[in-house]
Amino acid sequence: MKPAPFEYVRPDSIAEVLDHLASAEGAAKILAGGQSLIPLLSLRLARPEMLVDVNRIPNLSTIRASNGAVRVGALVRHSQLVSQDQHPLLAAAARWIGHAAIRTRGTVGGSLAHADPAAELPVVAVTLDATVHIAGRSAERSSPASQFFIGSLETNLADDEMITAVDFPWPARWGFAELARRHGDFGVVTVAAAEVAGRWRVAVGGVGPTPLRCPAAEHLLDQGARLSEVAAAAAAAVEPSSDVHGSGEYKRAMTEVLTARALAGQGLA
Amino acid sequence: MRVELTVNGGLMTVDVEARRTLVDVLRDDLNLTGTHAGCEHGVCGACTVIIEGEVVRACLMFAVQADGARITTVEGLAGDDGTMHPLQEAFCAHSGLQCGFCTPGMLLSALVLLGRERHPSRERIREELSGNLCRCTGYMAIVDAVEAASRGPGDLPVPHQQST
Amino acid sequence: MGRTVRRKEDARLVTGRGRFVSDLNLAGMKHVAFLRSTYGHARITSISIEEAESAPYVQGVFTGEHPAFAGVALRARSGLETYVETAQPILAQDKVRFAGEAVAAVVADDRYLAEDAAELVVVDYDPLPTTVSAWAAQDAPWPGHMTPVHAEAPDNVLLRRTFQAGDVEAGLVAATVVVEQELFTNRHAANPIECRAGVAWWDGDRLTFWSGTQVPHLLRNCIADLLGLREGSVRVVAPDVGGGFGVKAVVYPEDVALCLIALRLPGIPVKWVEDRVEHLQAATHAREHRYRLRAGFSDGGQLLALDADVTCNVGAYSVYPWTAGIEPLMAGGLLSGPYRLGNYRCSVRGVVSNTTPSGPYRGVARPATVFAMESVLDEAARLLGISSVEIRRRNLIGPDDIPYRMPSGLVDDSGWYGECLERVLEQIAPSEVKAEQERRRTSGENPIGLGIACYNELTGLGRAASAGPRMPFRTGHEACTVRVNPDGCVTVLSGVCSQGQALETTMAQVVSDALGVDYDDVDVRIGDTAESLWGFGAFSSRQGIIGGGAAHEAAIVVRQKVIDLAAELFEANPDDLRVEAGEVRVAGQETPLCRLEEVARVAYLESHRLPESFEPGLEATRFYDPIRGAFAAGAQAAVIEIDRATGEIDILKWACVEDTGTVINPGVVQGQVAGAIAQGIGGSLLEKLEYDDAGNLITGTLMDYLMPSSADVPDISIGHVSHPANNPLGVRGVGEGGTLGPYAVLAGAVGDALGVRIDHLPLTPNDIWSVLK
Ligand SMILES: Cc1cc2nc3c(=O)[nH]c(=O)nc-3n(C[C@H](O)[C@H](O)[C@H](O)COP(=O)(O)OP(=O)(O)OC[C@H]3O[C@@H](n4cnc5c(N)ncnc54)[C@H](O)[C@@H]3O)c2cc1C
Ligand code: FES
Ligand code: FES
């Protein structure tokens, strides 16, 4: 379990990162926290020719509020999310990520770019329809989370692009619930719900290739429907497949349970 | 690549291939074999070290990434005169280890926890150490040891992490 | 003895100065990587190694065809007539039989480069039909449809045996109720945090093999035999070992491969450190069994007859040297557990499949048999309307039954099951649990349940008890030398070895007590065949009893020598002399006669003062064999709560009481029990090794193979009763007992909470949720 050889570069600026990515023509990978990438390298399931270590690029580790949202730099560690108080939903969700040592290194940018369907932050990003800020050689762009995730471990990032920051809208009310086999494991099912600008949004992780929005449940919430109806609507929206940690049927049922749990205590009927 | 690491207070320079993980460099190049590798994919915690005051999986970091970093390994816990750290004492006194393979990682994770929460409940200790697997003890004695250390009179410093 | 002293091992282990095999860094050392089969079952049509061989950083590439490997194979032998002997190649020859089997070995400058080179070896496979289940194929109407794993066993059955006593049919006919069950246990594995590791070094004359093994002496014997070396030319060293639990008690192809490679590369130490992915694929698995049971009970709940059919999936090979019989024969021998039973029939079979070989894992088969037996009792209690506690009380072997001849012929020397059970129940308070259960039933809160297990752990097997698998050796004895050095300090050379059980500590305690010297003055050497004496190793909870017995007896002989010599030197009556805390004293007198080192000095350096006929030196060697074994009684119970919505289990309370006989070191005993229970909880709730139909392991990393963490294991109340066993120290083995309970306890507790019968493990939230629906 040792990584295959690669070239290692440690640029000081985003521009240099983009140059490296472009010149490698798809054979380079960004290395951020390494908590997902390094296991893949060690298993030789990923074998890029070049690793572009972005950890020393300045100004990517800040969290600050900006009109109704919280802007989180790509290199903000999960541990920083846990201890900040500007965005409680992010703090609550980040607490569920792995263990202390994983959170020390793992980054927000890495988690979104890795796009694990069971990961917490992508669920939160989709729930809030966060805006992912992306630097590219030709232009900067931003992508709404709803479009950013396109499949399991797949995003709309091009080979030569890099996430620089993410804007997470600030919810007036929110809830988060997860079911994991053990403390610190990826969730079997994860549900986040948030009320942003007067509208409820609900997304579920672990039940499809990307976090899934549940429009029917959101609609019911906005109408002040009963919690049990909302939860049932969320479950009806997903069609999970089976794996070693649970059957599709179980995950669907857990979607209902966790939706109810996420929303408990929000003053809903 | 040339890498400078401050390990347990001593500056060390090594020339390593970029692909070598920190745990391998500590063990093979610096002969600090107290840090163990149990899974090399981030799950078992045997490779845990402290970098800049925080716990890190040394199997999920390349040594080149630690260039310039301040690292504490299990070898750095006891004093220069060999006096054990109070946490090490507590592990010995409470049967907190059997084979000792998980112990270095367990000690370092517990130490950082106690730095953050001086008096964690057993429940909190169990939660926070859940990233360090032990196959021998059934954990109860480890929790006993950490709890005892947290109740001890003295400081529980994290050695070699203070700026000089 | 009887005290928790500071463990001799701790100072080095907590400071990072432990010496594990993977820590070895010898001058000129090279590194081995194995290329492993990616198919469950396939013919090897070609292997090309040229590209790998020509890499500048490579010292050698080996395959099954290599002349050094071609003639060597592991053939686990047994005298049972039904046993089909098969061969396990060191590196695959002609075909591969499980995904993960080693196909080639590459030696290179470092492990990274060895893995690079292994990728350059190209193997062409011609896939064969794969069998992963031990029962699907067996149950098929025409077993001929499958491709046998070994040509020698066309039906894939490597051994079968029927245990029989009394008249089962008559017992069943006489029964008021007959419980019929089909139960399945889950494949899982020991998974110590340190994987396997070995360093082999041939200096042209002697082979030294550092290995994380539980059986250094046996390993030396096997290596010498397989490689055609003199036993005295082979040295095996097991330094600090990071947990074993049975998985390191096997002699593996990789062990032999490393030694064969070393012979080919004289002067070059070769090192292999198994990584976790290899470990999950290629180190032995265990516990994939099916039980079909019919049990008859009288209306008073007395067990009248048990008819059982047990199938064990033994994986692709018969593990060396223990054979594929290790699990099936243990299952048949111990199924009836601590319960009185006259009419018994149990047919066991070991079936090969295209999966990782099964081997010894803490408790060997009994976690599954206890699960089976206890679930039969719970079901009978339900049918008869008596409590699950009461039915056990009525059937447990008691002190008056001792010695009790189990239907399999084993003789139980403990009758303290009832006492253990009652002590456990004091902790758990079943009536309160019952009341709370009722309250919750009406209130609609999450259900709780109580599970109970009683078990007998057969420990410290002597030559008569270890005869089961009819292997060409009997693991009955251990040897120990106790030596008082000229300075009065003591060196103990013991055949035992340790993977965390603190044998340096406990052997020192035994010798310190028996000889009369300070614990701190006793130095124990173990694990190095060049230093320590013969010992079979760490398995079957045997070392405390047998190794401890040998140490005790040797120390007693030395103490007598000390007394005899002191009596001569000081003209005292030997019968009046005592050795205590390193001093020789006359009983009842304040001032000691002399210090031990004065006597030792005479024995070694002042032979002119030695009495005539007194042999110089102060040491003795003793072999000890308990002939039979010692049964250790145990009982566990737990209360759990089930989250009705998710199926998650929360363990509210857990109690265990075992008869540990005389306790050498309470801290160590406590630790063994707690660790064993934690492994049992893991095996019952989380751990499952799963294959797809093509024979690929789909739980191949620790992200998918879930071991219990500190957040999954509760605090456990551990108690002891201490009825000394019939051996020099009065001890009973404690290494495995704890593992025997949790499977039955948790299945019983879930059954009790939900009013259902659990027929397979592990108890995942998903499965419990399905039951809840
Ligand atoms: C034992 C263990 C348990 C874990 N448990 C959880 C869990 O419960 N929940 C969870 O969500 N995660 C979990 N993780 C994963 C962890 O959260 C990772 O931190 C995260 O998935 C990836 O972040 P990273 O910074 O480590 O990214 P890296 O591993 O460095 O990179 C991951 C991928 O993202 C790309 N990338 C990284 N940064 C950028 C960027 N700025 N722009 C573009 N691409 C980029 C990389 O090229 C790579 O493809 C666990 C990991 C381990 C080892
Ligand atoms: S070796 Fe790093 S976490 Fe297991
Ligand atoms: S003491 Fe052996 S793994 Fe923890």
Side-chain angles (χ1 to χ4, degrees):
Chain A
M1 270 191 83
K2 307 291 183 190
F6 51 78
E7 189 188 341
Y8 172 82
V9 292
R10 192 164 62 205
D12 300 316
S13 69
I14 294 173
E16 286 172 80
V17 172
L18 301 177
D19 284 344
H20 283 299
L21 293 177
S23 59
E25 295 177 354
K29 277 238 159 238
I30 289 175
L31 173 64
Q35 305 301 288
S36 293
L37 183 54
I38 296 180
L40 292 176
L41 296 170
S42 291
L43 291 160
R44 299 199 178 200
L45 293 173
R47 38 194 326 153
E49 286 165 18
M50 177 191 278
L51 282 191
V52 185
D53 184 348
V54 297
N55 284 281
R56 309 239 170 157
I57 297 173
N59 305 324
L60 291 179
S61 304
T62 53
I63 303 174
R64 62 192 158 76
S66 70
N67 56 53
V70 172
R71 175 161 298 189
V72 178
L75 279 181
V76 166
R77 312 284 165 177
H78 305 326
S79 57
Q80 276 174 276
L81 287 185
V82 171
S83 53
Q84 54 82 34
D85 53 10
Q86 303 182 57
H87 199 299
L89 169 54
L90 274 179
R95 245 175 237 123
W96 283 85
I97 303 177
H99 308 279
I102 306 296
R103 295 191 296 265
T104 302
R105 299 284 304 161
T107 67
V108 172
S111 180
L112 296 199
H114 189 62
D116 190 305
E120 287 80 3
L121 297 182
V123 178
V124 172
V126 169
T127 304
L128 296 169
D129 203 10
T131 304
V132 185
H133 296 284
I134 297 162
R137 273 245 285 190
S138 38
E140 292 195 5
R141 68 181 177 100
S142 52
S143 167
S146 54
Q147 287 162 27
F148 181 75
F149 300 104
I150 56 181
S152 174
L153 308 180
E154 250 187 294
T155 67
N156 70 16
L157 277 175
D159 287 339
D160 57 358
E161 289 182 321
M162 170 182 171
I163 300 175
T164 54
V166 187
D167 286 345
F168 290 95
W170 193 84
R173 290 191 284 176
W174 59 272
F176 183 88
E178 174 170 327
L179 179 78
R181 290 294 303 278
R182 294 173 306 180
H183 193 270
D185 282 350
F186 278 97
V188 178
V189 176
T190 301
V191 176
E195 190 189 30
V196 180
R199 307 295 293 266
W200 275 100
R201 306 170 58 93
V202 177
V204 189
V207 294
T210 66
L212 287 181
R213 284 273 302 278
C214 305
E218 294 173 355
H219 188 67
L220 287 168
L221 271 168
D222 287 337
Q223 293 186 324
R226 301 179 63 82
L227 196 47
S228 55
E229 287 175 67
V230 175
V238 303
E239 227 168 299
S241 53
S242 303
D243 62 25
V244 288
H245 301 308
S247 67
E249 203 194 349
Y250 178 65
K251 291 183 202 169
R252 172 182 286 193
M254 290 310 105
T255 302
E256 183 165 352
V257 171
L258 294 177
T259 303
R261 286 186 182 176
L263 289 165
Q266 299 299 322
L268 306 169
Chain B
M1 262 182 85
R2 253 174 98 77
V3 179
E4 275 190 6
L5 309 170
T6 305
V7 186
N8 301 327
L11 185 66
M12 312 199 173
T13 309
V14 275
D15 200 7
V16 298
E17 229 188 320
R19 63 167 160 166
R20 290 181 71 80
T21 55
L22 179 59
V23 63
D24 283 345
V25 168
L26 288 171
R27 291 176 48 79
D28 301 342
D29 300 49
L30 301 177
N31 210 18
L32 291 168
T33 52
T35 305
H36 296 153
C39 72
E40 299 174 276
H41 55 278
V43 183
C44 76
C47 65
T48 306
V49 297
I50 298 176
I51 300 185
E52 306 300 339
E54 307 231 50
V55 280
V56 168
R57 304 283 207 223
C59 71
L60 295 189
M61 186 167 182
F62 295 112
V64 290
Q65 294 187 278
D67 193 12
R70 198 156 32 200
I71 305 173
T72 301
T73 69
V74 68
E75 287 92 344
L77 288 187
D80 290 340
D81 60 354
T83 320
M84 277 196 213
H85 190 282
L87 190 60
Q88 290 172 314
E89 281 291 345
F91 268 64
C92 296
H94 293 268
S95 307
L97 66 152
Q98 290 183 21
C99 78
F101 200 78
C102 69
T103 312
M106 211 51 101
L107 285 166
L108 296 171
S109 287
L111 193 56
V112 169
L113 165 65
L114 294 175
R116 209 171 278 147
E117 298 174 39
R118 190 60 176 74
H119 299 289
S121 63
R122 288 182 79 80
E123 175 106 9
R124 279 292 297 148
I125 296 170
R126 286 184 174 282
E127 266 173 34
E128 285 298 304
L129 293 185
S130 67
N132 290 74
L133 297 177
C134 172
R135 199 56 157 166
C136 299
T137 62
Y139 302 107
M140 191 161 53
I142 292 175
V143 180
D144 291 345
V146 176
E147 194 179 33
S150 80
R151 293 190 179 149
D155 275 356
L156 295 170
V158 180
H160 313 298
Q161 291 291 318
Q162 304 76 10
S163 351
T164 40
Chain C
M1 299 217 310
R3 283 175 306 133
T4 300
V5 293
R6 171 142 306 202
R7 301 190 338 154
K8 297 216 176 254
E9 299 82 353
D10 285 353
R12 64 177 189 269
L13 293 174
V14 295
T15 52
R17 287 182 290 110
R19 274 263 150 260
F20 296 88
V21 175
S22 56
D23 297 343
L24 271 181
N25 198 348
L26 304 177
M29 194 158 79
K30 300 297 175 190
H31 298 262
V32 174
F34 289 98
L35 178 69
R36 296 181 182 277
S37 167
T38 48
Y39 285 87
H41 201 189
R43 232 158 251 308
I44 297 173
T45 51
S46 74
I47 306 183
S48 78
I49 60 170
E50 292 72 24
E51 204 185 335
E53 259 183 329
S54 62
Y57 47 82
V58 168
Q59 283 78 40
V61 180
F62 300 86
T63 68
E65 307 255 277
H66 190 283
F69 285 75
V72 188
L74 302 176
R75 302 185 73 90
R77 287 183 294 152
S78 161
L80 278 181
E81 313 83 73
T82 62
Y83 177 70
V84 181
E85 189 177 302
T86 51
Q88 177 171 23
I90 305 304
L91 294 170
Q93 285 172 354
D94 306 331
K95 77 172 192 171
V96 289
R97 294 180 175 84
F98 70 96
E101 181 167 6
V103 175
V106 178
V107 189
D109 290 343
D110 69 31
R111 176 62 178 255
Y112 289 76
L113 295 167
E115 292 191 18
D116 293 349
E119 289 188 323
L120 302 175
V121 175
V122 182
V123 186
D124 282 323
Y125 295 99
D126 188 3
L128 293 167
T130 303
T131 310
V132 296
S133 164
W135 25 89
Q138 292 292 311
D139 294 347
W142 61 95
H145 74 288
M146 62 186 186
T147 307
V149 179
H150 296 273
E152 299 90 328
D155 58 356
N156 276 353
V157 178
L158 283 199
L159 97 164
R160 38 168 57 95
R161 181 174 167 191
T162 300
F163 295 78
Q164 214 153 0
D167 185 342
V168 169
E169 293 306 334
L172 291 173
V173 168
T176 307
V177 297
V178 175
V179 172
E180 285 197 42
Q181 295 199 337
E182 184 177 54
L183 304 166
F184 297 87
T185 54
N186 45 317
R187 172 180 286 255
H188 53 288
N191 256 299
I193 305 302
E194 182 201 33
C195 297
R196 295 179 287 155
V199 175
W201 178 38
W202 169 248
D203 68 3
D205 196 27
R206 262 163 70 109
L207 177 72
T208 306
F209 185 38
W210 289 266
S211 169
T213 179
Q214 292 173 238
V215 290
H217 295 273
L218 200 55
L219 179 58
R220 173 172 74 159
N221 179 263
C222 295
I223 294 284
D225 178 42
L226 289 159
L227 271 60
L229 296 171
R230 291 185 183 186
E231 189 133 354
S233 306
V234 180
R235 174 182 170 202
V236 171
V237 188
D240 286 323
V241 179
F245 319 115
V247 75
K248 295 176 184 171
V250 170
V251 176
Y252 284 97
E254 290 92 341
D255 297 329
V256 182
L258 284 176
C259 293
L260 284 170
I261 291 170
L263 290 188
R264 285 274 152 172
L265 301 172
I268 300 177
V270 290
K271 177 178 187 174
W272 169 65
V273 179
E274 182 182 50
D275 65 42
R276 185 60 59 181
V277 171
E278 293 184 283
H279 185 83
L280 286 164
Q281 280 194 329
T284 51
H285 295 175
R287 310 228 212 285
E288 189 179 357
H289 303 182
R290 181 186 67 184
Y291 292 79
R292 285 180 166 164
L293 307 160
R294 285 195 304 151
F297 291 82
S298 72
D299 52 0
Q302 190 199 344
L303 175 61
L304 299 179
L306 178 63
D307 189 13
D309 177 277
V310 181
T311 305
C312 299
N313 188 337
V314 302
Y317 293 103
S318 193
V319 291
Y320 193 77
W322 308 109
T323 81
I326 186 159
E327 288 199 311
L329 295 174
M330 185 70 90
L334 273 303
L335 176 61
S336 61
Y339 300 106
R340 286 188 303 267
L341 175 64
N343 304 313
Y344 181 58
R345 179 170 60 206
C346 180
S347 300
V348 301
R349 71 184 71 68
V351 179
V352 277
S353 63
N354 297 115
T355 62
T356 302
S358 300
Y361 174 26
R362 202 174 200 167
V364 180
R366 285 153 299 169
T369 61
V370 174
F371 163 58
M373 199 61 206
E374 299 295 290
S375 87
V376 163
L377 285 168
D378 282 339
E379 180 66 3
R382 249 190 297 266
L383 293 173
L384 290 164
I386 52 182
S387 81
S388 57
V389 172
E390 197 47 43
I391 196 164
R392 287 174 171 83
R393 284 187 183 133
R394 292 182 193 174
N395 285 290
L396 285 171
I397 297 165
D400 297 341
D401 301 318
I402 296 308
Y404 184 82
R405 196 176 177 80
M406 293 174 64
S408 60
L410 291 164
V411 177
D412 193 333
D413 68 319
S414 166
W416 307 108
Y417 305 100
E419 188 181 354
C420 291
L421 176 61
E422 301 306 329
R423 287 269 312 273
V424 160
L425 296 175
E426 281 166 26
Q427 299 287 315
I428 295 286
S431 51
E432 286 169 31
V433 176
K434 194 99 223 139
E436 173 66 7
Q437 206 169 34
E438 287 308 320
R439 191 189 67 72
R440 287 174 180 236
R441 257 180 211 143
T442 34
S443 74
E445 285 167 69
N446 281 335
I448 62 169
L450 167 66
I452 301 172
C454 300
Y455 48 87
N456 55 353
E457 183 190 1
L458 178 50
T459 71
L461 309 183
R463 70 181 68 149
S466 71
R470 311 250 172 92
M471 295 174 300
F473 56 93
R474 293 286 181 279
T475 63
H477 52 266
E478 292 279 309
C480 187
T481 294
V482 172
R483 174 183 302 154
V484 177
N485 296 310
D487 63 357
C489 292
V490 179
T491 301
V492 178
L493 308 172
S494 163
V496 300
C497 62
S498 187
Q499 304 79 45
Q501 310 91 318
L503 267 301
E504 285 168 59
T505 299
T506 48
M507 290 302 121
Q509 288 184 274
V510 167
V511 170
S512 133
D513 271 24
L515 187 50
V517 294
D518 280 342
Y519 167 74
D520 289 338
D521 288 337
V522 183
D523 182 29
V524 178
R525 307 295 181 86
I526 58 176
D528 180 347
T529 61
E531 238 184 14
S532 63
L533 288 157
W534 180 267
F536 275 102
F539 51 88
S540 297
S541 305
R542 60 188 297 282
Q543 297 198 116
I545 295 178
I546 309 181
H552 176 82
E553 308 247 286
I556 294 290
V557 174
V558 177
R559 184 184 60 189
Q560 196 56 47
K561 281 193 185 176
V562 171
I563 286 175
D564 289 346
L565 180 52
E568 292 277 358
L569 292 175
F570 294 93
E571 294 175 358
N573 179 351
D575 294 343
D576 295 342
L577 296 187
R578 307 278 178 272
V579 188
E580 283 162 19
E583 291 172 343
V584 183
R585 47 176 72 236
V586 180
Q589 281 190 14
E590 236 353 62
T591 43
L593 208 53
C594 66
R595 292 207 41 85
L596 180 56
E597 59 251 48
E598 289 179 55
V599 182
R601 206 185 141 74
V602 173
Y604 287 99
L605 298 167
E606 301 174 16
S607 48
H608 56 285
R609 292 178 63 193
L610 278 179
E612 222 175 303
S613 84
F614 206 99
E615 187 189 353
L618 269 184
E619 72 168 58
T621 298
R622 280 292 174 274
F623 278 74
Y624 174 67
D625 183 334
I627 310 298
R628 310 206 80 87
F631 271 93
Q636 289 176 34
V639 184
I640 61 153
E641 173 176 325
I642 294 174
D643 184 325
R644 203 189 280 291
T646 61
E648 290 170 293
I649 290 179
D650 189 13
I651 299 170
L652 305 178
K653 222 181 205 189
W654 197 295
C656 170
V657 174
E658 290 188 356
D659 178 7
T660 43
T662 308
V663 171
I664 301 176
N665 181 320
V668 169
V669 167
Q670 201 91 352
Q672 285 296 306
V673 177
I677 292 175
Q679 284 181 7
I681 291 174
S684 316
L685 300 183
L686 292 162
E687 299 176 37
K688 185 174 186 194
L689 289 157
E690 241 177 301
Y691 288 91
D692 66 15
D693 290 341
N696 299 304
L697 185 65
I698 53 177
T699 49
T701 71
L702 295 188
M703 295 298 269
D704 300 311
Y705 184 78
L706 310 180
M707 292 199 273
S709 78
S710 49
D712 301 300
V713 182
D715 281 340
I716 294 166
S717 149
I718 298 171
H720 311 291
V721 299
S722 292
H723 295 289
N726 181 20
N727 57 50
L729 296 171
V731 295
R732 300 180 189 271
V734 294
E736 300 174 279
T739 339
L740 310 191
Y743 302 75
V745 165
L746 287 163
V750 171
D752 182 48
L754 305 180
V756 297
R757 224 183 61 210
I758 297 300
D759 60 10
H760 67 276
L761 298 171
L763 295 153
T764 65
N766 192 156
D767 286 343
I768 293 173
W769 171 83
S770 304
V771 170
L772 273 158
K773 280 204 317 162

